Structures are given as C-alpha cells and as structure tokens.
Amino acid sequence: MPQVPQRLDASAVRAWCGFALRALGRAREEIDAINVYPVADGDTGTNLYLTVESATAAVEAVFAGHAALEGGKKAPHGPEAFDGREALDGHEAVAGQAVSHGRVPEGPALADAVHAMAHGALIGARGNSGTILAQLLRGMAQVLAADSDATHTDGQGLGLALRRAADSARQAVVHPVEGTVLTVASAAADAASGAEGDCGAVARAAYEGARAALAATPGQLAVLERAGVVDAGGRGLVAVLGALVETFTGEAPAAAAVPVLAGHARVGADSDATGLHARADAAVTEHPGEVGECADGAPASEEGGPAFEVIYLLEAEDAAVARLRDRLDALGDSLVVVGGDGLWNVHVHVDDAGAAVEAGVEAGRPYRIRITHFGLDDAHTTGAGSRPVRERVERAVVAVVPGEGLAGLYTEAGATTVLARPGEPPASGELVEAVRRAHAREVVLLPNDAELRHTAAAAAEQARTEGVRVALIPTRSAVQGIAALAVHEPGRRFDEDVVAMTSAAGATRYAEVEVAERQSWTMAGICQAGDILGLIEGDVAVIGSDVTATAEAVLNRMLAAGGEMVTLVLGDEAPDTIAAHLESRVRESYLAVDTVVYRGGRQGALLLIGVE
C-alpha cells in the first residue's frame, strides 16, 4: 500500500486536490448527464471540475514557490514564473507568507495550503454547485488555518472542518433547498462529527454519510424523482469526499457503489451518460416549469425560470455585500454569494443580466463577469422553440490574451479569445469551452504563455476526442500570437496554415517590462522590490529604476540581432510618453524597421515587446 498522510498537513491538502480533480474528471460526463436542478443545463460536472482545477493550481503554486525558495533559486519572473500570485488574483502571495519571517520552513504550512485551496476555488468557481463547493472549502480553511492549527490536524480537527464547511455553505445560499448538495454536505458533517479515530476513519464516515444522503435526494426533490437521478451537485461532492478517503487511506472508494432509487438505472462509473441525458430530457420536457424552481422551491415562471446565469468576482465590503444580497434576491433566484475578506464570488439566475451586473457595480468592483443564456446554451433545451444548430465553420483560431485591449485586437482579426487577467491563468476547461464556442472543424490554438503549454495541450487533447482537429502552436507571448495571426489564411490547407503561423511566431523574439514584487536573485543580479525588470525570452536581462530607460535598453539588445518589425503592447500602468520615445529611438537608430503600437489594457506587464 502506498504511503499515506497520517495527519492533516499541506501535503495532504495537495494530495486531496489531485485525487479530487482526477475523480471529477472521471465522473464529469456522468454528473453532467444527471444535472436537472436548479437548471437542466448539463454542466454541473464540468463546473465542479473547473472549480477544483483552479483550487489545485493554487495549491501547486504554493508548493512551487516554496520549492524555489528552499532551493535557493532565483524567484522567477515573466513567462517562467508561477508563484502564489498566479493563483491568488493579485492578493498577497501565500508562498511569500510562508517565509515572511526570513526563514524557509521544511514545507508549506497547512494554513498556506488551505488558504490557497479555498482562494483558488473562489476565483475559479463555476456554476451553482461550483460556487457552493468553493464555500465548503473556505469553511474548512477557516478551521484548519486557525492560529492553533496543531489541534486541527487529526481526525477531530477534520470533523470540525467539515462541520464548518457545511454550515457556511448553507448560510451562503439565500434560500436553501433540501435534496441538494447542501443536504449531502450536512449529512457528511453529521457523520464525521460522530466518528472516532484518525483522519482516514473520519473521512470514510463523512463519505458514507454523504452517499446515504445522496441516495435520498430524489425523495426530497420531485424533479430528481421523475428523472430517476440523484442530485448532480451532491454526486460531485461525494466524489470529492471519496478523494479525501483516498488521501488518508490510499484506497479509493468504488465509484460504482453510489446509490440511486430502486427501479432506476444505477448512477455509477459505468452508467450510460446518453441514457441519463435522455431521461433527464424527458423529465424536463414533461414538467418544464419545475426545473426552473427558485431556490425556495417555488416555480420561477411558466417558461422554466430566469433566462440568464450571471457570475462575477466582486471586490466589496461586507456591508455592501449584505445590500447586494437583498437586491439580487429581488431580481432572481438560485442566489449564492460566497467569499469574504473583501473578495466575493456572486452567482444568480435572473431575467435582467444587466441589472445583476449593475447591482455589483453599486456594491463594489465586479470583474471576470460571465453571463450564460440558458435558452441558447441549455444542453436539455428541446421542442419547436429551440435555436437551430449552427453550422460549423471550417477553421478558427483560439487565443489566450492577457488584457482587454489585446482581446479586442485578436477578436477583430477573427480569433476566439480567452482572457487571462493578472493572477488568473485560464484552466484547461476554459480553453475547451473556447474551442467549442469557435464551432469549427479545425482549430489553431495559441496559448501565448509558456506556463500554459501543458494546460493548452490538455485542452487540445480533449477537443480532439470531440472530433475537432486541433493544432497547438507553442506561442510564449501575446506578441508571438500577433505575428502568427497576421499570416493566418483560412483558405490554405490546414497543415500549410499551421506551418506558416508557427514559423512567424518562432521568428518573433519577445520581451516584457514589469515591476519586481520582492527582492530576488536574477540572471542580471539582485533586484529589489520596486525595481524595473526587463525580461527577454523569459529571463531578466536588465534591472533599472526608470521604465522608459529600461524598455529602451531591452529594445536595443533585441534589435542588435536584427529585425524588421517592432510590436509594442502598452499596459495601463505604462508611462504615457513611452511609446513615442521608443518609436523615435527605432526611427533614429534602426533604418527600415517599422513600429506598431497597441493598447493592452490591464495585462500585468507594463510593456510587451516583439521583434520580428
């Protein structure tokens, strides 16, 4: 039997995230297939997977940052960097907190790992169930990261954490409904509270309690009983708790043992997802009004409920969020507001999506706004009123871009974009969604970031299983993506187009200018917090105190090797005069070299530079 953790520590949290992600990956299609409440949009499994993927990335960032510090390595910058800030949405890096007293511990602290897990889930939460899962993890973190965390590393501590998780999730839902993931979470906490023994014993008790509660959900929600399925969100939580059992025992519970009502097809690892979808569709078609029930159980409308799902992150004070809850509660249903400490994730179903976003603007600063029209994207929409299937285009380009300005530029050039805001690297599921949104037979994928190469490869592989021909061009910067997009010709043979785009990207050297966040060892020497760093091909080449002077030094080094075209992408924080100064220097010193300037918006780096 493989070695397993004997107590709750950072390594156990890391293992749990990994097992949970794998379990949800295996069960994703099955969970999507049984998703009939609160809206039959067939994405609960996918949403839970994306939420846990974000949590896992945040935890891995803590371990990566700690390993770099422990090994005496330079703190990386630019495309090669991946520290706590990558997963923590601009807040103080957890990896940095672990060494705030000038020493490097043997491993990340439990508090650092659980904070990262909860925060990663919060910023990556998708859908109703994903948002609730994020609050469950936050509730656990509040217990496990307490000052006296030594008392919370055993079975009793795990039980307390699961209790806090269930209670906090229920409080986050404005109108809790029984027969949902909330019921399953409460049952797991009850079972864990009554268990004795180590973490493995408590985890197994929680899992068994959750399984029993899941089996009872069809008797608590009529729409589940008619469809012959258990609650999809609860099924996902059972998978996550099964991963917790595997973390502390080394043995994964049998997925096929998940029970449902007698007389219905079993919901397990070998279930027929197509058949489940068909039964769920039948239940929705026969009783359309009840699928769109409000969170308090009352039907929302004869048409099946609100038309839009609105989700956004919100920076706001507690008092403002309390007013926001009341405002959104009056606008729609399925309202879940999770988070705290100034950062919240808001989820609601409404008919007026604009009003829901405006309410967020009044409360604070909403961003990463996602609006889904159920009538267009509902996987179970049937009947004469359904939108006709859109014909696939032959070829499309999907690109990750670091700012709103570049997103507009890429979109104008015909690309489908995925916005990667500072500290918010997209998950593989988001790239798969973008490929689906492009609705093409052939797709060229531009990750535009060295750190996204594995994420993009996973997305490409997933898209290929869905019948899409995908070519991944390993662009490491948005300026390389611009060069590739400039030579893209949909009328060419696919292979020829990919070769041309790859050649253009490879012939483009890239650099960026940014501000150092902390003292670090670099290839160019020691930098201090606040220094201006010039990175060429991912390595620090220039350390300066002035943005314009540093950018000029970087550009001179790049053009020393030759070039025909300079691309400058300005971030919001770049000096207003920097573009004109650099353009002038290029004209004076480098004949026959053209310069083009774009506004990148909030892109993280002060300046991106490309030389073709």
Side-chain angles (χ1 to χ4, degrees), residues 23-51 126-130 224 227 229-237 239 267-268 271-281 284 291 377-381 429 432-433 436 462 466:
L24 288 172
R26 291 172 174 171
R28 180 184 61 80
E29 291 186 3
E30 169 206 326
I31 298 172
D32 284 345
I34 64 174
N35 174 202
V36 297
Y37 183 87
V39 175
D41 47 357
D43 63 357
T44 292
T46 299
N47 287 339
L48 288 170
Y49 180 88
L50 292 174
T51 302
R126 291 298 194 91
N128 190 69
S129 294
L224 300 179
V229 298
V230 294
D231 177 67
R235 170 67 182 91
L237 180 58
V267 182
S271 306
D272 180 358
T274 303
L276 289 170
H277 266 303
R279 291 209 319 282
D281 285 342
V284 173
V291 174
D377 298 324
D378 187 345
H380 299 301
T381 299
V432 173
E433 286 182 357
R436 292 169 181 158
Q462 173 61 35
E466 299 177 9

Side-chain angles (χ1 to χ4, degrees), residues 283-494:
V284 173
T285 305
E286 293 170 11
H287 306 272
E290 297 186 21
V291 174
E293 289 175 348
C294 297
D296 58 5
S301 71
E302 293 181 0
E303 289 75 22
F308 297 97
E309 176 186 59
V310 178
I311 304 174
Y312 50 80
L313 292 177
L314 177 70
E315 292 179 356
E317 300 297 327
D318 291 4
V321 171
R323 294 190 295 271
L324 176 65
R325 288 177 189 267
D326 294 337
R327 173 82 180 277
L328 293 179
D329 190 26
L331 287 175
D333 61 48
S334 295
L335 175 58
V336 185
V337 181
V338 303
D341 301 322
L343 182 64
W344 309 81
N345 191 306
V346 178
H347 171 281
V348 66
H349 295 171
V350 293
D351 282 319
D352 189 344
V357 175
E358 289 174 6
V361 173
E362 293 176 5
R365 187 179 78 87
Y367 61 103
R368 207 172 189 179
I369 300 168
R370 301 186 185 95
I371 299 175
T372 302
H373 192 307
F374 291 125
L376 299 180
D377 298 324
D378 187 345
H380 299 301
T381 299
T382 57
S386 299
R387 185 181 180 91
V389 176
R390 179 164 57 97
E391 184 67 25
R392 284 183 180 271
V393 299
E394 185 62 30
R395 188 175 309 159
V397 176
V398 173
V400 180
V401 291
E404 291 85 351
L406 281 181
L409 173 67
Y410 272 74
T411 301
E412 288 177 6
T416 298
T417 61
V418 178
L419 189 60
R421 294 183 176 88
E424 299 177 21
S428 63
E430 293 179 81
L431 301 188
V432 173
E433 286 182 357
V435 171
R436 292 169 181 158
R437 195 166 69 245
H439 208 62
R441 296 182 179 88
E442 301 169 341
V443 170
V444 180
L445 183 57
L446 306 175
N448 291 341
D449 188 335
E451 285 294 333
L452 289 178
R453 59 189 182 278
H454 297 306
T455 301
E461 187 62 31
Q462 173 61 35
R464 291 181 188 117
T465 66
E466 299 177 9
V468 182
R469 188 181 184 189
V470 181
L472 172 60
I473 298 178
T475 49
R476 294 175 290 173
S477 172
V479 292
Q480 288 187 322
I482 291 173
L485 198 56
V487 301
H488 168 54
E489 290 186 14
R492 279 193 298 223
R493 289 179 55 244
F494 185 64

Side-chain angles (χ1 to χ4, degrees), residues 104-131:
V104 180
E106 294 181 359
L110 172 61
D112 294 333
V114 294
H115 275 312
M117 175 181 67
H119 198 112
L122 177 68
I123 66 173
R126 291 298 194 91
N128 190 69
S129 294
T131 308

Side-chain angles (χ1 to χ4, degrees), residues 566-579:
V566 171
T567 300
L568 304 176
V569 183
L570 307 180
D572 282 344
E573 303 300 320
D576 294 335
T577 59
I578 190 171

Side-chain angles (χ1 to χ4, degrees), residues 5 9-27 48-61 63 113 116-117 133 137 236 239-248 252:
D9 57 15
S11 294
V13 172
R14 185 187 199 185
W16 182 29
C17 287
F19 287 138
L21 189 63
R22 185 178 66 183
L24 288 172
R26 291 172 174 171
L48 288 170
Y49 180 88
L50 292 174
T51 302
V52 173
E53 186 178 47
S54 182
T56 302
V59 173
E60 289 300 325
F63 275 83
M117 175 181 67
L133 178 61
L137 297 179
V240 172
L241 291 173
L244 188 63
V245 174
E246 185 174 6
T247 299
F248 290 110

